[in-house]
Structures are given as structure tokens and as C-alpha cells.
Amino acid sequence: MGAGIAEVCARSGYAVVVCEVDTVRLDAGLARIAVSMERAVARGKMTDDDRQSARERIVGVADLARLDDCDLVIEAVPEVLALKRDVFARLGDVAPAHAILASNTSCLAVTDLAVASGRPSQVLGMHFMQPAVVRPLLELVTTLLTAPETLTQARAFGESLGKTTVVSRDDPGFIVNRLMLPSLLQSVDLLERGVASRDEIDTAAQLGLGHPLGPLALLDLIGLDTVVLMADAIYAETHDPRFAAPAILRRMVTAGRLGR
Ligand SMILES: NC(=O)c1ccc[n+]([C@@H]2O[C@H](COP(=O)([O-])OP(=O)(O)OC[C@H]3O[C@@H](n4cnc5c(N)ncnc54)[C@H](O)[C@@H]3O)[C@@H](O)[C@H]2O)c1
């Protein structure tokens, strides 16, 4: 997701600093952005001049301390609370005092991250959809501690990216994933019980429900590991059986069959 978010921001004219854990992953992420923009040029979605300017606006770093000159930081590390808490604690120290700190978390409590940052009034969720370049929605998530000014700035930023914004309270799964996850997990159940084939399930959702992508294809796109982490995060807070990930999904994640 980080690569897609960086691409959207750079294509909208922002100077972007991409931070990864090491230079190998950084190079892989930057290469992904380059390929995506070349594809956009080939499809006539952007000019080659725009591609080049957007690429030049992106700087890559492998050290969080280099984010000391950013007005807005959008965190997109894996969906693991301890990891995100650590990142927000470090961002609270490193980012300029005025900077807004946003999380692309799908399901974790933004309030946890806000408190970890030491500047909770400037923290909110900025949940992009996959693929970030294409999907027109940006879900903003406010906590009890988010300042109104932070939301105003985040909304203006989202609109400057060409996104439509919706605002959700910090509640498990927010709006989009609270609606989406049960259908993804149900599609696995239908497939496992042999009710219908993979393609029939996806076609039914596309043509019957008007979904642009079937739930099983969407599962692959999001990544099975991310879906399990999301389902577990919502289940842990709600104990709602609609969010209990089927065992086969866990086995596939353990086996490295992640989709994508
Ligand atoms: N995959 C999706 O469709 C999707 C959609 C919306 C939101 N999200 C959310 O976006 C976040 C990332 O998900 P993903 O699927 O891109 O995960 P991913 O595992 O594909 O990517 C995470 C990246 O973060 C990097 N990383 C790990 N620790 C880091 C650190 N301390 N500093 C900098 N980089 C670090 C990893 O090297 C990796 O490249 C999660 O919170 C997820 O819930 C994902």
C-alpha cells in the first residue's frame, strides 16, 4: 500500500519521502512505483513528462529520522499493533511539531497509535483503498482526541489527491472493512463447502451485486495475510463470529500462499 500512496501523492504534485526498513525493500518499493507509472503512461492515463516530474518528487530513505521535514506522515507498515505503536512513538519524536501523523491501518485502533505518538490531537486514520491510485475513496478516522483542525486539513489533503472522503469514528473496521470482511470470509466458506467454484462466486458478486471485483479476487489483491490480521483485529474487539477467520486462511498464510 505504501508504494501506491506515495505514487498518488507524487502524481498530485506533493514532494514525497518514502521510508522503508532497508535499502533492498526501498529499491523494490521505488521500482514498483516506477512500473506502475510506466503502465499509466502506456494506458494514456498520464504523460511521460508528468511521469518524470512525479518520479523526481519522490525521495527514498531507510531511516525514520529522515522524516524530520514532513508536514504529513502516512504510516503503512504491516497491520501489527506493537509495530505501529513503536513507529508512532518514534514519529512523535522525529516529525516537526506541526506535522499531522496518519495511519493507513485497516482495522487497528487509531486511538492506540495517537496515544503512542505523544501528540494525539494531530493523529487520525487515513485509510486508502487498494489500489490507492485507482480507488476514489479515502476513509478518514477520528479518535476522541483528534483536533477538528487536523480533520479539516486531512480532508483538504484527501480532496487535493482527487479522493472523496468519508469520516468514521475510531470503531473496529471503521466503515469499509466492517462491511467488506464478512463477505470476504463468507466467500472462503462457500468455496470450502463446495457450494460454488471460485469463478462462480466471483462472477455472482460482480454481476449480481455490481462489485467491480469478486471477493476471492479481492482477497488475493489485498493479501491473505493482511485479511487475517484485519479479521483478527476486529474479532478481538467485537467477538462477532462474522469476523472469525476460517482455519484454511490461516493455513494458507502459514504456507506462504498470500495471494498477490
Ligand atoms: N493490502 C491492502 O489492500 C490494504 C488496504 C488498505 C490498507 N492497508 C493497510 O496498509 C498497511 C500496510 O499493508 P500492506 O498490505 O501494504 O503490508 P505489506 O506487508 O505489503 O507492506 C508493509 C511495508 O512496511 C514496511 N515496513 C515494516 N516496518 C517498517 C518500519 N518500521 N518502517 C518503515 N517501513 C516498514 C515493510 O518492509 C513493507 O514493505 C496495513 O496497516 C494494512 O492494514 C492495506
Side-chain angles (χ1 to χ4, degrees), residues 25-76:
R25 291 192 210 205
L26 177 61
D27 290 346
L30 294 175
R32 194 175 308 154
I33 296 172
V35 168
S36 170
M37 291 205 288
E38 275 156 22
R39 213 180 294 135
V41 172
R43 288 183 183 154
K45 305 269 187 208
M46 73 190 300
T47 67
D48 198 52
D49 279 354
D50 287 346
R51 179 197 60 77
Q52 200 170 330
S53 324
R55 180 61 193 86
E56 283 165 7
R57 281 192 281 272
I58 302 175
V59 172
V61 300
D63 177 4
L64 207 81
R66 299 273 305 276
L67 303 180
D68 59 352
D69 195 26
C70 296
D71 300 315
L72 166 68
V73 181
I74 305 173
E75 165 277 316

Side-chain angles (χ1 to χ4, degrees), residues 127-148:
H127 180 217
F128 288 81
M129 308 297 124
Q130 171 87 310
V133 178
V134 178
R135 310 293 307 166
L137 184 74
L138 177 62
E139 188 175 40
L140 301 173
V141 182
T142 55
T143 76
L144 293 171
L145 305 171
T146 306

Side-chain angles (χ1 to χ4, degrees), residues 88-253:
F88 270 79
R90 286 160 63 203
L91 287 174
D93 289 338
V94 161
H98 71 274
I100 290 179
L101 307 180
S103 176
N104 186 47
T105 182
S106 304
C107 295
L108 296 175
V110 177
T111 307
D112 263 319
L113 311 179
V115 170
S117 76
R119 56 171 92 177
S121 65
Q122 289 158 248
V123 174
L124 83 170
M126 241 185 219
H127 180 217
F128 288 81
M129 308 297 124
Q130 171 87 310
V133 178
V134 178
R135 310 293 307 166
L137 184 74
L138 177 62
E139 188 175 40
L140 301 173
V141 182
T142 55
T143 76
L144 293 171
L145 305 171
T146 306
E149 177 57 18
T150 301
L151 175 61
T152 303
Q153 288 188 37
R155 198 184 257 140
F157 175 75
E159 282 162 11
S160 76
L161 301 181
K163 304 295 183 197
T164 297
T165 57
V166 291
V167 182
S168 166
R169 249 190 317 115
D170 185 18
D171 191 70
F174 321 129
I175 306 169
V176 172
N177 285 321
R178 196 67 181 248
L179 294 173
M180 178 187 74
L181 273 166
S183 104
L184 296 192
L185 301 179
Q186 282 300 310
S187 71
V188 174
D189 181 63
L190 285 173
L191 185 64
E192 256 210 305
R193 291 193 294 115
V195 174
S197 70
R198 179 196 67 182
D199 291 347
E200 281 164 330
I201 294 167
D202 276 355
T203 301
Q206 285 178 282
L207 303 186
L209 301 173
H211 292 182
L213 207 59
L216 292 163
L218 187 56
L219 237 167
D220 272 358
L221 180 71
I222 296 171
L224 273 56
D225 49 346
T226 299
V227 169
V228 169
L229 288 171
M230 290 194 294
D232 286 351
I234 299 182
Y235 187 83
E237 287 208 90
T238 62
H239 296 287
D240 182 335
R242 286 174 302 172
F243 298 93
I248 183 67
L249 266 190
R250 290 185 201 287
R251 302 290 184 276
M252 288 179 77
V253 171

